[in-house]
Amino acid sequence: MSGEDRCSEMSEDDEGPSPSDLTNRNRNGDSCSPFPDQVLENVLESVLCFLTSRRDRNAASLVCKSWYRAEALTRSEVFIGNCYAISPRRVTDRFRGVNSVVIKGKPRFADFSLLPPDWGAHFTPWGTAMADAYRALEKLYLKRMSITYNDLALLACSFPVFKELVLVCCDGFGTSGLAVVASQCRQLRVLDLMESDVADDEVDWISCFPENETCLQSLIFDCVDCPINFEALEQLVARSPSLRKLRLNQHISLWQLHRLMSRAPQLTHLGTGSFSPSEVVSQNDQELNYDSAFAACKSLVCLSGFREIVPDYLPAIYPVCDNLTSLNFSYANINDEQLKSVIRHCRKLQIFWVLDSICDEGLQAVAATCKDLRELRVFPIDAREDIEGPVSEIGLQAISEGCRRLQSILYFCQRMTNAAVIAMSKNCPDLVAFRLCIMGRHRPDHITGEPMDEGFGAIVKNCKKLTRLAVSGLLTDKAFGYIGEYGKLVRTLSVAFAGDSDMGLKYVLEGCPRLQKLEIRDSPFGDLALSSGLHHYYNMRFLWMSSCKVTRRGCEVIARQFPRLVVEVFNSEEQEGRETGDYIGTLYMYRSLEGPRADAPEFVHIL
Amino acid sequence: MEMERPVNLENELNLKATELRLGLPGNDDQPEKQYSSRSIRSINKRFSSEMYTESDAQKGDHQDPSPATKAQVVGWPPVRSYRRNVLQPKKAEADGAGMYVKVSMDGAPYLRKIDLKVYQSYSELLNALEDMFKCTIGVYSEREGYNGSDYAPTYEDKDGDWMLVGDVPWEMFMTSCKRLRIMKGSEAKGLGCL
């Protein structure tokens, strides 16, 4: 929505008279031939229909007033990166013909309990505004928003052609909300719940889908931690011939999975549920040939689940490995041998999520086979700081040597070296997102004892496409100097327990022109550093600084100077207890056309 | 920019340890900073002394620069809570990991999570539940269960069976409880073991 900010700077139409104006009447008058400017607008609208990228559309809307109008009329997908940057009313006033909406709410650090609950990002005002203005709404994608049962009920009855609901990292509702959506949205194609906190209202929502054949294409509920009416689910799958994506929760046993797969051999994406036999041992478990079920699903390209995996059953998936492009083992506690038996078949794998239980050896096996790997995420099975971790620089080095097309990596480890990170920077030039989390705070290179400055420096220098970076380990201001000097395309930067002084943040704010999202915690950056970014804050979506050295006065200075910045200051429970003196707990600052929000809870002070 | 030379780092480390220099080891007068344990400590202390426990300050000259026990910090490492919780029950033996189970109450539109390790006994747990959900659970009796109370706490054990909270010894309950459900008293009648 960056176009919105600059509407005051738009150029006006050339209003001077032209020969055609003298003979034609005004737009609303009668005429048998269309006016040139009306023709122009029709042409424009027809052409604009092909513009889908919001950046292109924002640019088009800035050309002149009539382009602005035409673009506003023809934009069908609206993307709101920060729900508080603009009011629902302003959006519905400008864009009249919208059928798809994306709204993002809380900042990402909310995922790690750094944002007190009830902070905000309520969907309700958006829901009510859209219920009036966008009767033809088909798609809604929400990330980190709080949605209530009432919101879902309103949604279900307000949009007669509603087709797709995707909720990522959302909360505030339960299975009763799912029930009302399932029962009332008769044209629902997609119901995707990802990493959301869904309360168990003990409602059988699966039974609420229409009784006839459904249009369901995607049903993702692996994060919904509630038992499911299995018979109803089986019947639902059987009467959903378009179903391609099905991700089950951990309450579905292997035997149940088998039955579902035999009903839906056309699946392309499958979340396997628990992948373990049910506790109640039935003779069925012994007889079933699980790998024939997998073999029958010839279109499977994406596999996930394995929430309580019994590794003995892993061979069942061998038949589909050759075609897999995406494999998510991030809940599967398997060792390197067990992984090897699977991964050696997965030559086409592009996306791989896994637990570090596979150790460096497991990563070496991945590197040996998955030459086309684009995205790797290695999660810690034990997320504590001071333990022996199973993966290290050895695994990272191996991946860098084997997976040259890597674009995105998230790697949790206990120890790392600059050498391995530098190697990755040279071996994987396509890297767009590099997120390394050395779990011990302030850990240096464990072989040389040096800070991790050179490693991250190499990443920003050599990976010319890098837009997302998360740093960790012992880092001095030098690392930030490198980021400011070389990280010209960096849009998202995540910093924790790093840096020596204000200079670190200064380097970044002065050096990175594309920076949009900056989240910092527990780093020694203060008011001086904050003031070095004044030229840039209107270009950013947000700045988050928690447990740093920023004072209230420093924030007030900024708030006074920049009316279009909302400067939120608050303390979390943990921060209250500490001797912080003058320093504030958390600063969350974002550009907005609306000024201070009306729904801020008491503990949030908006300066 | 300094790039690591592909040398055998082990050898290099030894050379540096036996290097003859003027000045104390670990001081950073040289343009190339060699970070010894001591200077790492001072960098760490420079900005936030609150982050570290007493044990860090008394660390001394260990070669391994990572302090032994740090105070647990909120939201670090940055792993989402559902990823932590899902795997926790399996590693219940591991110390300090916590034992999170979900708690639901009939009629309440929300779910809570509690760490069973925090409680030492059934009475502590039940008091906490009464506080959390603003209800009365009452007292358990072997014969009658929670008869007479508005609500009865039940739990799902490792085998998938629903049991009345209090039926088994506390230790056994701790290791087998997967989730809790506070049922309406009337519905829980069938669960008491008679």
Side-chain angles (χ1 to χ4, degrees):
Chain A
M1 293 295 284
S2 54
E4 272 289 355
D5 294 5
R6 298 197 281 273
C7 55
S8 55
E9 299 159 35
M10 261 179 353
S11 60
E12 297 289 307
D13 269 346
D14 178 9
E15 301 280 5
S18 69
S20 51
D21 283 350
L22 300 172
T23 51
N24 294 333
R25 273 160 250 164
N26 71 27
R27 189 171 296 211
N28 295 323
D30 295 323
S31 168
C32 27
S33 65
F35 304 106
D37 50 353
Q38 180 72 65
V39 171
L40 204 62
E41 274 214 15
N42 287 346
V43 169
L44 192 56
E45 283 175 25
S46 309
V47 169
L48 283 177
C49 287
F50 293 100
L51 264 191
T52 45
S53 142
R54 64 179 188 269
R55 289 206 176 89
D56 291 344
R57 283 192 154 265
N58 289 346
S61 71
L62 293 178
V63 170
C64 64
K65 271 219 155 99
S66 70
W67 279 57
Y68 177 87
R69 274 193 302 266
E71 195 281 315
L73 283 172
T74 55
R75 190 183 293 220
S76 59
E77 295 173 14
V78 168
F79 173 89
I80 315 284
N82 174 2
C83 63
Y84 288 121
I86 189 164
S87 70
R89 181 60 190 276
R90 223 188 262 254
V91 175
T92 56
D93 279 351
R94 176 175 171 184
F95 302 109
R96 304 300 184 107
V98 167
N99 60 32
S100 167
V101 175
V102 175
I103 310 175
K104 298 188 179 181
K106 300 174 200 171
R108 198 181 73 98
F109 273 2
D111 294 350
F112 314 121
S113 312
L114 292 180
L115 195 67
D118 312 322
W119 171 84
H122 304 290
F123 177 68
T124 309
W126 291 93
T128 36
M130 294 195 301
D132 281 334
Y134 296 152
R135 307 294 301 186
L137 191 72
E138 294 183 6
K139 302 184 195 180
L140 184 61
Y141 174 109
L142 302 176
K143 186 167 186 179
R144 292 197 190 94
M145 298 283 293
S146 285
I147 310 151
T148 64
Y149 169 83
N150 289 337
D151 292 333
L152 291 170
L154 180 64
L155 190 155
C157 68
S158 305
F159 307 120
V161 291
F162 192 70
K163 295 190 170 60
E164 298 187 13
L165 181 63
V166 180
L167 302 176
V168 180
C169 300
C170 293
D171 61 16
F173 64 103
T175 46
S176 53
L178 300 181
V180 73
V181 169
S183 67
Q184 306 221 4
C185 301
R186 313 301 282 187
Q187 298 202 27
L188 199 65
R189 290 195 298 228
V190 171
L191 180 58
D192 289 354
L193 304 153
M194 305 201 283
E195 303 184 7
S196 293
D197 194 353
V198 183
D200 186 355
D201 301 330
E202 317 254 329
V203 168
D204 179 8
W205 59 282
I206 293 286
S207 297
C208 294
F209 282 95
E211 283 178 7
N212 313 325
E213 206 170 85
T214 76
C215 335
L216 270 181
Q217 295 173 6
S218 174
L219 181 61
I220 295 179
F221 63 95
D222 47 359
C223 66
V224 181
D225 186 8
C226 321
I228 288 286
N229 176 343
F230 178 70
E231 286 84 50
L233 178 61
E234 193 180 356
Q235 285 159 27
L236 175 64
V237 169
R239 65 179 191 277
S240 304
S242 306
L243 196 66
R244 295 289 178 275
K245 301 186 186 181
L246 180 64
R247 301 216 317 227
L248 308 163
N249 66 17
Q250 69 265 43
H251 297 266
I252 301 292
S253 70
L254 259 176
W255 178 80
Q256 291 171 327
L257 173 67
H258 185 282
R259 283 186 72 93
L260 293 172
M261 288 176 74
S262 62
R263 299 287 196 166
Q266 76 281 9
L267 287 176
T268 58
H269 293 57
L270 176 64
T272 59
S274 68
F275 210 77
S276 100
S278 54
E279 298 293 338
V280 178
V281 177
S282 70
Q283 64 260 42
N284 295 326
D285 286 340
Q286 313 305 331
E287 291 160 15
L288 283 176
N289 191 349
Y290 293 112
D291 75 297
S292 66
F294 278 91
C297 292
K298 300 192 186 306
S299 313
L300 265 185
V301 292
C302 172
L303 213 51
S304 62
F306 309 102
R307 301 291 287 248
E308 289 161 11
I309 188 173
V310 170
D312 305 20
Y313 292 96
L314 212 40
I317 73 171
Y318 292 167
V320 297
C321 288
D322 283 327
N323 286 328
L324 280 185
T325 54
S326 172
L327 178 58
N328 183 346
F329 269 157
S330 66
Y331 290 96
N333 186 353
I334 55 175
N335 61 32
D336 61 304
E337 285 306 321
Q338 290 156 343
L339 175 71
K340 279 180 198 171
S341 70
V342 171
I343 210 75
R344 59 196 172 91
H345 302 296
C346 300
R347 267 169 284 267
K348 291 191 190 159
L349 209 59
Q350 295 187 5
I351 299 174
F352 185 50
W353 292 22
V354 72
L355 283 176
D356 63 3
S357 58
I358 63 166
C359 303
D360 288 326
E361 287 82 357
L363 290 171
Q364 286 166 334
V366 174
T369 313
C370 306
K371 298 304 179 188
D372 208 17
L373 198 67
R374 310 295 166 99
E375 177 180 323
L376 175 67
R377 296 195 194 191
V378 181
F379 294 95
I381 198 166
D382 189 349
R384 287 180 292 163
E385 289 193 62
D386 301 308
I387 53 173
E388 263 302 298
V391 299
S392 68
E393 75 279 0
I394 295 172
L396 191 73
Q397 177 93 25
I399 292 289
S400 79
E401 289 166 5
C403 308
R404 300 294 176 116
R405 300 205 190 114
L406 200 64
Q407 293 171 0
S408 169
I409 184 165
L410 171 63
Y411 196 89
F412 283 85
C413 59
Q414 294 288 352
R415 54 196 190 284
M416 185 48 59
T417 62
N418 283 305
V421 178
I422 292 169
M424 176 156 274
S425 77
K426 293 181 178 161
N427 291 335
C428 305
D430 288 343
L431 274 177
V432 166
F434 183 81
R435 294 192 285 160
L436 176 63
C437 182
I438 302 169
M439 287 189 272
R441 286 168 277 153
H442 307 104
R443 286 261 171 91
D445 178 321
H446 81 98
I447 289 182
T448 66
E450 293 188 354
M452 293 300 297
D453 298 341
E454 300 305 322
F456 285 103
I459 291 286
V460 284
K461 188 178 184 201
N462 298 331
C463 301
K464 312 242 190 275
K465 304 180 190 175
L466 196 79
T467 58
R468 183 170 185 184
L469 181 64
V471 301
S472 61
L474 180 66
L475 293 170
T476 71
D477 288 342
K478 202 173 182 196
F480 296 98
Y482 291 141
I483 296 173
E485 187 179 352
Y486 298 107
K488 295 306 179 188
L489 296 184
V490 171
R491 291 205 301 261
T492 307
L493 179 62
S494 194
V495 178
F497 305 100
D500 304 320
S501 73
D502 284 326
M503 289 309 295
L505 181 54
K506 197 162 142 55
Y507 291 142
V508 169
L509 288 170
E510 288 175 355
C512 300
R514 298 282 179 97
L515 196 60
Q516 299 216 324
K517 298 185 265 186
L518 181 53
E519 47 189 32
I520 305 174
R521 65 168 295 183
D522 296 279
S523 300
F525 307 135
D527 298 338
L528 190 63
L530 206 58
S531 62
S532 61
L534 299 179
H535 64 287
H536 190 60
Y537 292 137
Y538 272 166
N539 295 331
M540 291 176 62
R541 189 179 295 172
F542 71 82
L543 168 66
W544 169 291
M545 291 180 71
S546 58
S547 304
C548 296
K549 291 184 143 188
V550 172
T551 69
R552 198 185 176 92
R553 207 167 310 117
C555 297
E556 279 166 356
V557 161
I558 298 186
R560 244 178 277 126
Q561 225 178 317
F562 294 94
R564 302 278 182 110
L565 278 185
V566 173
V567 181
E568 296 194 12
V569 165
F570 51 89
N571 287 326
S572 65
E573 277 173 28
E574 289 70 31
Q575 289 162 337
E576 293 286 9
R578 285 172 38 183
E579 268 317 309
T580 46
D582 214 5
Y583 302 142
I584 54 164
T586 300
L587 161 68
Y588 179 54
M589 187 167 88
Y590 50 89
R591 66 182 173 193
S592 172
L593 290 178
E594 309 303 333
R597 56 189 175 108
D599 65 356
E602 272 187 35
F603 59 83
V604 170
H605 307 285
I606 302 186
L607 304 177
Chain B
M1 173 160 80
E2 302 296 333
M3 291 296 182
E4 294 284 275
R5 301 181 304 280
V7 295
N8 183 337
L9 291 167
E10 296 259 332
N11 289 344
E12 189 156 17
L13 215 51
N14 286 337
L15 282 174
K16 287 192 164 67
T18 55
E19 191 180 13
L20 290 175
R21 291 194 311 214
L22 295 175
L24 295 168
N27 83 38
D28 45 13
D29 276 349
Q30 292 89 355
E32 253 196 71
K33 295 187 181 224
Q34 297 300 326
Y35 286 84
S36 72
S37 317
R38 203 177 290 140
S39 51
I40 288 171
R41 196 84 51 239
S42 64
I43 286 168
N44 290 347
K45 281 194 175 138
R46 206 181 304 167
F47 85 86
S48 176
S49 53
E50 299 97 337
M51 300 308 311
Y52 290 82
T53 62
E54 285 305 310
S55 60
D56 300 334
Q58 291 151 12
K59 206 60 194 160
D61 279 356
H62 291 202
Q63 279 306 314
D64 173 13
S66 54
T69 45
K70 288 185 184 148
Q72 202 68 21
V73 169
V74 173
W76 187 262
V79 177
R80 295 195 178 128
S81 56
Y82 63 83
R83 280 197 183 277
R84 288 182 193 258
N85 292 341
V86 166
L87 295 166
Q88 294 300 354
K90 285 199 195 308
K91 308 180 296 85
E93 332 76 72
D95 57 319
M99 220 185 231
Y100 288 92
V101 298
K102 288 201 175 193
V103 190
S104 64
M105 181 166 93
D106 288 359
Y110 53 90
L111 214 60
R112 303 295 287 266
K113 271 198 182 109
I114 57 168
D115 179 359
L116 288 182
K117 283 206 157 182
V118 162
Y119 309 102
Q120 313 299 331
S121 67
Y122 279 123
S123 53
E124 277 186 31
L125 172 65
L126 295 178
N127 282 338
L129 291 177
E130 282 179 332
D131 269 339
M132 214 182 278
F133 289 93
K134 313 277 182 277
C135 63
T136 15
I137 291 177
V139 174
Y140 172 80
S141 89
E142 241 185 69
R143 214 171 317 141
E144 304 277 332
Y146 292 90
N147 275 352
S149 311
D150 292 335
Y151 289 96
T154 66
Y155 71 98
E156 185 182 4
D157 73 1
K158 278 197 285 225
D159 301 322
D161 297 322
W162 283 92
M163 314 267 286
L164 206 57
V165 168
D167 277 349
V168 303
W170 173 253
E171 298 302 328
M172 194 187 297
F173 165 76
M174 279 262 285
T175 53
S176 62
C177 172
K178 274 175 33 180
R179 55 181 296 211
L180 284 159
R181 177 181 159 196
I182 303 178
M183 285 173 124
K184 291 217 170 51
S186 46
E187 288 187 28
K189 278 193 163 40
L191 286 179
C193 47
L194 293 165

